[in-house]
Amino acid sequence: MTARTKPERRARTLRRSLVITFAAVSLLSVLLLGVLNYIQARELLTDSVSDRLVNQQAAKALAIRNGVDRLEQQVVVTAQTSQIVESVSAFSEVYDGLVGPDLLDAEQAAELETFYQTTVDAIGEFGLESIAPESLEPGSETGRYLQYHYIAANGDDPRSDLVSAPGDNSDYGAVHAELHPALLALRTQLAFGDLLLVDTDGNIVYSTNKRLDFATNARTGPYRNSGMGEAVSTRIAATPVGDAVFVDFELYLPAGGKPSLFVAAAIRDEARTVGALLVEIPIDGLNNLTVGAGEWEESGFGETGEVYVVGRDNLMRTDSRLWIEDPQTYLSWLEKERY
């Protein structure tokens, strides 16, 4: 065999170098094209997800606005029904008829005082400041009489179940036995938390749930400084006919210290105002508009997306998805954010 010359060896080496270079360039081109395609696909996917979430946000915001509008109209229309007009008039009349300095005997009065003291002892569990037992008293003998028979002597069972108080043989008791079942059915049908009727003097003459605000005066009683008291005292009178007053969520003692949202509307008999309708809206009512049945992924929110309502004070008004799905992790996150 003839040994190859140096030029031939150089040519062979050059060809090998060119092949390797072309292969490297081709591989690099493929890698760069793959990276660019990945980046572009990721951007398109991100934009798609972002657009979908924005659309979901807009849809939920519209649903919340529509839901609040429906609630307002529902309360306004309910306040003008003959059932509510006749009920507030009937309860106002018999409430005013409960007069006298000794509506309760000594034993009943002592039981009522014990009830107030027991309630005050439990307030610490609500996370509220300690108060004096007398601060719970309605401020009138009429109120004390009704709170004894419909609250203190009613045990721990749902007080809304009580149609007739065994010891109340007054005209009020007769009217309550007649009207309460239909009013309770109305409250249940409309998914209200509580339904209260207020007379023109500010007296809460009826309540389906019979909580501590029942038979107090919204203007002068223990809860006059609450949003509920403000709504009855000033806001309803300044509200145009056909509109309702919304009282934002606040810790409310008669609700066991839980946040309560009230909606109020004037009750009018033709052109004459005969009282006010107050309804409590449970937080579940708003959660139904944001959380729904908890089907976040089916609704397009993926594994972590959520919608919740925030008030002007930057505090949440509805539950977070994380709180519902994993309360312990949510609490741990809050502790971490605090510090």
Side-chain angles (χ1 to χ4, degrees), residues 87 90-99 103 142 145-147 149-150 161-181 183 205-206 210 214:
S87 294
F91 276 115
S92 297
E93 182 179 353
V94 293
Y95 187 95
D96 290 340
L98 278 173
V99 294
L103 293 176
T142 301
Y145 175 88
L146 293 175
Q147 285 205 352
H149 286 291
Y150 290 88
D161 292 345
L162 183 66
V163 175
S164 178
D168 182 17
N169 299 315
S170 66
D171 290 340
Y172 185 96
V175 169
H176 187 277
E178 177 185 355
L179 300 181
H180 176 71
L183 290 170
V205 296
Y206 170 80
K210 304 300 186 297
F214 168 59

Side-chain angles (χ1 to χ4, degrees), residues 265-281:
I267 303 174
R268 291 184 171 87
D269 185 4
E270 295 182 351
R272 184 170 62 96
T273 299
V274 294
L277 171 67
L278 274 169
V279 298
E280 182 199 20
I281 307 301

Side-chain angles (χ1 to χ4, degrees), residues 194-198 204 206-208 213 262 276-280:
D194 194 7
L195 185 154
L196 306 95
L197 300 177
V198 186
I204 300 176
Y206 170 80
S207 162
T208 54
D213 49 7
F262 282 98
L277 171 67
L278 274 169
V279 298
E280 182 199 20

